[in-house]
Amino acid sequence: MEPSYYGQETENTRQRSNSNAGGLSDDQNGQFGMQAQLGKMMWEAGSKQVQDTFQSYGRIDLFRPYFDVDPAEVRTRLIRSFIPRKPSQIQVSPDLYGPSMIILTMVALLLYNMKSSGIIIQNGTLMGTAMFTCFGSWMLISGALWVACFLLAAEQPFLTILSSFGYSLTSQCLVLLLTSLFHSSHDHLFFFVLLASFCVPSALRMGLIVCNQSRLPANRVMLIGIAIAAHLLLIIYLHFGFHVVLEELDEMVGVVDVNAIKETIPIE
């Protein structure tokens, strides 16, 4: 006959083993629960990021009204860009369709001017350089005018400055067209006459738009001077310096290509 304490010890051992087994299963369930919760959090974060991405692409629709412009309205704004008026009489309705077409027209005129003058670029793409110059100048000068307005307490929306400066480039397109058709390379008097006839009034209108929100006369004069200087320096650069810089870059690229070819040829 077995002692009475033997049965009690066996039952206690079984209870401990069952309790240990139950404890392990609880830990495993806790780990699986944490993993499921972590996976759920990652799924929610990924879904939120995808939704934000689609919403950011959907924000492109915000620019759609600025390209939905009546052609008659664009024609009216092109004509008004040559007529300076008092800041209180100038009404600006910003759009990006007209300025974009003006910049593309300027690119085409630069290409025509380069080809009509007999300048041949051997390396690189002339169209890419012209597009980079025109669009870059449009954005850069508009940004500089916006910063000047901010510093001189004449805050203007960037889109208003971008649209106004884009329309003011119509005069530059006209000057580029007329100089490419009737301009003599030995006499620049015709260019300066066109500059004074078309670009100066357009630049003055741009300056009056920029200084519209300024209250101090000194700041107004400074803003008008900055706008006129930026406008006229751009057309002077496009007329005198664009082809020179382009030829120098072409020569630099050509020298690099020649050196590269010489290095690849084995010396006997």
Side-chain angles (χ1 to χ4, degrees), residues 223-235:
L223 288 173
I224 293 174
I226 292 172
I228 294 176
H231 194 279
L232 297 182
L233 287 175
L234 178 59
I235 184 60

Side-chain angles (χ1 to χ4, degrees), residues 143-193:
L145 290 176
W146 180 75
V147 172
C149 291
F150 178 77
L151 295 177
L152 296 176
E155 297 184 5
Q156 286 279 2
F158 178 71
L159 191 60
T160 300
I161 297 177
L162 190 67
S163 177
S164 301
F165 185 72
Y167 275 108
S168 69
L169 295 179
T170 308
S171 61
Q172 300 195 7
C173 292
L174 183 60
V175 171
L176 290 175
L177 177 62
L178 294 177
T179 52
S180 61
L181 293 176
F182 307 106
H183 181 49
S184 175
S185 59
H186 302 287
D187 187 11
H188 299 290
L189 180 61
F190 182 64
F191 167 73
F192 287 108
V193 170

Side-chain angles (χ1 to χ4, degrees), residues 212-233:
N212 190 12
Q213 300 297 328
S214 179
R215 297 181 179 179
L216 298 177
N219 292 347
R220 288 187 178 184
V221 173
M222 291 178 62
L223 288 173
I224 293 174
I226 292 172
I228 294 176
H231 194 279
L232 297 182
L233 287 175

